[in-house]
């Protein structure tokens, strides 16, 4: 059995959050909406570690943007 594409925005966000939770006890994974699309913000020890934004068109995932640059993540605590 093979998995089909995850087409619902909420399902994609929950999947990414579930994957992130398996990383370690200091991780805090938050599902959010950013610029009209699903996103996952990851914090380690209370500090921003990474941000993943998913672009969905016509009900299908088109692109995934991942940010790990500390300067770009500085304002992430507000997400």
């Amino acid at each position: 059995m093979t998995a089909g594409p995850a087409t619902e925005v909420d399902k994609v966000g929950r999947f990414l959050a579930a994957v992130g939770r398996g990383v370690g006890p200091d991780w805090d994974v938050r599902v959010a909406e950013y610029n009209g699309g699903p996103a996952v913000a990851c914090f380690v020890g209370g500090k921003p570690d990474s941000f993943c934004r998913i672009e969905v068109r016509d009900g299908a995932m088109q692109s995934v943007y991942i940010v790990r640059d500390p300067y770009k993540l500085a304002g992430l605590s507000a997400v």
Side-chain angles (χ1 to χ4, degrees):
M1 184 171 111
T2 60
T7 57
E8 295 179 33
V9 170
D10 187 49
K11 286 183 180 178
V12 172
R14 286 189 311 217
F15 168 76
L16 290 173
V19 168
R21 283 190 189 100
V23 177
D26 290 344
W27 278 70
D28 178 22
V29 179
R30 303 177 196 170
V31 177
E33 186 171 312
Y34 182 76
N35 285 346
V40 176
C42 300
F43 297 81
V44 177
K47 296 180 182 179
D49 176 79
S50 54
F51 181 82
C52 177
R53 162 86 166 65
I54 304 156
E55 182 180 325
V56 178
R57 266 186 270 138
D58 299 323
M61 186 169 55
Q62 299 295 313
S63 303
V64 177
Y65 302 95
I66 299 172
V67 178
R68 297 217 57 219
D69 183 336
Y71 294 107
K72 292 182 179 182
L73 295 173
L76 190 58
S77 61
V79 171

